[in-house]
Every structure is written in C-alpha cells, then in structure tokens.
Amino acid sequence: MTLLDGKKTSEAILQEIAHEVQAIKANGGKVPHLAAVLVGNDGGSVTYVNNKVLACDRIGFGSSLIRYEDTVTEQELLQKIQELNEDDNVDGFIVQLPLPKHINAEKVIESIDPRKDVDGFHPTNVGRMVAGLNAYLPATPAGILQLLQRYDIQTSGKHCVVIGRSNIVGSPMSILMSKAAYPGNATVTLCHRNTNNLAYHTRQADIIISAVGIPGLVTADMVKDGAVVIDVGTTRVQDASRKSGYRLRGDVDFDAVAPKCSFITPVPGGVGPLTIAMLMQNTLRAAKKEVYG
Ligand code: NAD
C-alpha cells in the first residue's frame, strides 16, 4: 500500500510555480496577482483565506485581501467584484464561500469575469470543462488529478466510483474522470445520498473518490483488494486529547481500509493540501493568459 502524500505533492507544485515566478520576474514580466474577498469572521474561512495569502507570499505572487463585515450588502459586494474584474493588476480572484444568507452566492459567482475566476466556479468555466475546452478547474478535483498523475496511477479503462455530487467536488470529479484524457478515460459511476446499496457499487470500483462528509462511511467490506482510495471528506470530530478539542476525520475507515488498497490518501495530509497549490496554479495560468488567451 502506498500513501498518497498530499503535503509533499503540494510542496513540489508550489516550488515549481515559485521557480516560474522567478523566471517571469527575471524577464520583466507581470508578477501574478491573486485577490481574495472574505465576508465575515467564520474561523474556517479566515484560516483558509489567510493560508491562500501566505502561499502567495511564499511563491512570489502579489496578493490583496479584501475584508467585509457580514453585514455587507449584496450591492456593495457586486460593486467590488466589478472593480476587480476591471483591475488590470489582478489576474485572478476568489470570493470565499460560504456567504451570509442575505447574499445570493450564485449571483456573486456569475458576476465574476470568467477570465479571472480562478476557483473555476463560474458557469462558463463549468461549461467549458464539461465540453472538454480549456478551463479553470475547481481546486479539489484538480488536486486529485495531480495526485493520480504524479503517482503514475493508471486510470484508463478503470471503474471509478465517485461518492458525492457537489458542484465543487463530486460532480466535476465524475466528469473529469470520464474525459478522454489522462488522468481520465475511466468508466464512472456517480453515487449520492439517493443511491441504493452504495456498497454494491463501491465493491466494483478500481478507484473510489469519496466526497461526502460522513466519517467512516466507506468501510473495509465496501472496498475490493488493490483499489485506489481517495478520501476528500474532512469532518471535525471531538477529541479531548487534542489542544484544539477536535481532529479531522475522512469518509473512509482508514485503519481497516488502508491494508486492502494499492494507494490511499490520509486525512489530513491527503487531498486537502493540494487545493491551495491548485489555486496558485490557476492564478499563474490566469497571469499567463493560458485559458482564454
Ligand atoms: P456537500 O457537503 O455539498 O454534499 C455532500 C454530498 O454527499 C452530496 O452530494 C450528497 O448527495 C452525498 N451524500 C450524503 N450522504 C450520503 C450517503 N449516505 N451516501 C452517499 N452519498 C451521500 O459536498 P462537498 O462540499 O463536496 O463536501 C464533501 C466533504 O468533502 C466534506 O467533508 C467537506 O468538508 C470535504 N471537502 C474537503 C475538501 C478538501 O480540500 N479536502 C474540499 C471540499 C470539500
């Protein structure tokens, strides 16, 4: 069994990007710039956004963090997005989700210029991805593709079972794995909360990608010998032995499942660390105008 080390893979990607930024600077080119809009003070969101800004600093990107109280109006937010759309110094930007209930997140996402939508959430980028055109891919599925690729995992002709159909992970993952590309060319089954007999499907899987958020959902009897298991789930569970009072658990019953696998991601340290690296990669692609020209 090989552990898919997301931290190591993420570090390697960030270093590759940092080298490219150095070369851009040496040639007098435009330094990539990422802007992040954060509404409110939710602990998780604040940490995520701070980590994104820190990653920019580390690899030599410019960055700006725009913060609003959670009382900000939708109109104010849309106005800021318009400014960012028009700001030539900003190559890409994100609006950290979730947003407060009084703000229509779909409207906000649709107001982002698709050429700067480095989260890959705008319907134009989603549509381009589905059509097999060049697009910004959402960070988590893109990170999983990187893991599969960098560990040289065969996907062509394999049966891939994706569990979960969210717009940010499960749904795009199922589409990408079915594409005529590597990693891809798999036969894909997409399971979700209405799937009857989940175990029947997962037992046939060469590759399982679980993005649900139920700790221990995938048990050893649901996994065939030699399977590749990618665990996206990250749920906080109470743990009095930790200073924080909690620890993160994936969807997969890791201790029982891991011995059966050819490859498996740990939680934490598997898929999670790759998401920031993929956001940085999208921002670099935006600065180089690789997607829309
Ligand atoms: P979500 O929370 O929006 O939806 C969960 C999905 O699971 C739904 O599509 C639902 O149909 C499916 N589901 C629910 N119960 C099920 C069951 N019993 N059997 C089969 N399917 C079931 O999904 P999300 O936003 O993709 O998040 C999923 C998990 O992944 C969460 O734990 C989240 O924290 C985590 N996540 C991690 C990362 C990362 O970087 N590691 C990124 C995004 C999400």
Side-chain angles (χ1 to χ4, degrees):
M1 183 273 291
T2 303
L3 214 52
L4 296 168
D5 188 335
K7 270 194 197 154
K8 214 173 83 184
T9 309
S10 166
E11 279 304 316
I13 295 167
L14 289 172
Q15 270 188 25
E16 288 164 17
I17 299 174
H19 282 136
E20 209 169 325
V21 175
Q22 276 171 8
I24 291 171
K25 282 183 180 165
N27 293 326
K30 156 105 180 52
V31 173
H33 189 108
L34 174 72
V37 179
L38 173 61
V39 178
N41 296 296
D42 171 75
S45 293
V46 173
T47 308
Y48 292 144
V49 170
N50 282 338
N51 287 340
K52 289 168 188 175
V53 171
L54 284 173
C56 285
D57 292 347
R58 262 193 61 198
I59 62 176
F61 283 8
S63 67
S64 16
L65 172 57
I66 300 135
R67 290 195 70 164
Y68 289 104
E69 291 300 321
D70 53 15
T71 49
V72 67
T73 65
E74 189 177 283
Q75 198 47 45
E76 276 176 278
L77 201 54
L78 292 174
Q79 176 62 38
K80 176 50 75 180
I81 290 171
Q82 197 50 39
E83 276 173 35
L84 293 169
N85 283 340
E86 288 164 10
D87 185 341
D88 287 340
N89 185 41
V90 173
D91 298 294
F93 66 97
I94 59 159
V95 179
Q96 184 68 37
L97 300 177
L99 291 168
K101 290 219 162 27
H102 68 276
I103 295 174
N104 182 337
E106 276 172 25
K107 200 167 161 187
V108 167
I109 291 169
E110 284 190 51
S111 71
I112 297 172
D113 184 332
R115 291 171 295 189
K116 295 192 176 188
D117 168 41
V118 284
D119 260 342
F121 293 162
H122 190 285
T124 297
N125 279 311
V126 178
R128 289 174 68 102
M129 175 197 67
V130 173
L133 301 171
N134 210 354
Y136 295 116
L137 301 182
T140 306
I144 293 169
L145 295 183
Q146 284 286 329
L147 271 181
L148 294 170
Q149 194 176 354
R150 286 173 187 249
Y151 279 85
D152 206 16
I153 294 172
Q154 297 312 302
T155 58
S156 180
K158 304 292 183 192
H159 185 189
C160 175
V161 172
V162 178
I163 320 175
R165 59 182 164 192
S166 72
N167 284 343
I168 60 165
V169 190
S171 177
M173 196 71 243
S174 69
I175 290 160
L176 291 164
M177 289 303 286
S178 72
K179 286 287 171 202
Y182 174 74
N185 273 322
T187 302
V188 178
T189 301
L190 178 57
C191 298
H192 45 75
R193 70 173 77 248
N194 302 99
T195 297
N196 291 328
N197 201 348
L198 179 64
Y200 165 81
H201 297 285
T202 58
R203 272 188 211 116
Q204 297 171 46
D206 303 304
I207 303 168
I208 297 174
I209 302 175
S210 186
V212 176
I214 301 179
L217 175 75
V218 179
T219 50
D221 60 309
M222 294 167 70
V223 179
K224 82 173 175 191
D225 283 332
V228 176
V229 174
I230 310 279
D231 191 353
V232 185
T234 38
T235 308
R236 284 183 177 191
V237 294
Q238 282 191 338
D239 185 344
S241 70
R242 302 280 173 105
K243 219 169 95 186
S244 61
Y246 72 87
R247 68 192 162 94
L248 291 180
R249 273 202 68 192
D251 293 346
V252 176
D253 180 5
F254 184 88
D255 291 344
V257 170
K260 299 184 81 174
C261 297
S262 53
F263 296 89
I264 185 167
T265 55
V267 175
V271 175
L274 283 159
T275 54
I276 287 190
M278 293 299 96
L279 176 66
M280 299 300 136
Q281 199 168 71
N282 276 348
T283 306
L284 179 64
R285 294 177 77 207
K288 290 162 71 183
K289 308 216 180 308
E290 265 182 20
V291 177
Y292 286 89

